[in-house]
Amino acid sequence: GAGGSAGAAHDQQPADSEHQVATPGGAGAKRRRAGENWFSGSPGSGQAGPGAQTQRRKESHNATEQKRRQRINDKMMELKDILPDSRESSVDKATILNQAIDYIKTLQTEVEAVTVRRMEVERQVQALQEEKEALCLPRKKQPLPLHDDASPLLSTLS
């Protein structure tokens, strides 16, 4: 009703610091014009006072925070499940993170070792290919000499 439009009109007016006072609840609370009632409208008009609005914000924040904590806990359990030797049910988050760090470092060391070994094998393959090419140089094919004296030999083979 009329109380809601007064708030909207207030939002459109330029801020005048000497006409504003801080609401209870700290520096982050919204400011209102001096003389404006804390309760816009009468108690059943659909407009809630600052206490109800603060309570809704707290409840919303608490729900958001609970979802965030639940996501963290879910991911910690997922991390615990993929770590080797970490099947104990009562492992705290710090232990899970330490185990994950140790496991990642181990995997990094293994990747480095496998990379070095791969490079060694690639060098060996290259050396063998070069050796093969050196041994199998294409030779100039020479036709077999067909002499008149070879024709009786060919006729006996056929």
Side-chain angles (χ1 to χ4, degrees), residues 68-128:
R68 186 188 71 81
R69 284 192 305 268
Q70 187 60 50
R71 282 195 333 264
I72 290 171
N73 289 334
D74 291 346
K75 292 302 175 182
M76 291 300 290
M77 290 301 105
E78 187 177 339
L79 183 58
K80 179 178 141 291
D81 289 342
I82 64 173
L83 289 173
D85 305 325
S86 180
R87 301 287 186 238
E88 300 171 29
S89 62
S90 62
V91 178
D92 67 336
K93 293 175 187 177
T95 301
I96 293 170
L97 292 174
N98 282 330
Q99 289 174 345
I101 290 167
D102 292 343
Y103 186 55
I104 290 169
K105 287 179 179 179
T106 299
L107 291 175
Q108 286 174 331
T109 301
E110 289 177 15
V111 166
E112 289 172 10
V114 168
T115 301
V116 168
R117 178 68 181 134
R118 190 186 100 231
M119 290 171 47
E120 290 172 0
V121 169
E122 286 174 352
R123 280 193 293 267
Q124 290 174 347
V125 166
Q126 181 65 33
L128 289 172

Side-chain angles (χ1 to χ4, degrees), residues 21-25 29-33 35-41 47-51 53:
V21 294
T23 59
K30 290 185 178 179
R31 297 175 159 246
R32 293 184 176 258
R33 294 182 65 77
E36 192 172 304
N37 224 346
W38 282 115
F39 292 97
S40 299
Q47 295 293 326
Q53 188 176 22

Side-chain angles (χ1 to χ4, degrees), residues 6-22:
H10 167 69
D11 291 341
Q12 294 173 355
Q13 293 177 355
D16 184 3
S17 61
E18 69 183 13
H19 288 60
Q20 294 181 354
V21 294

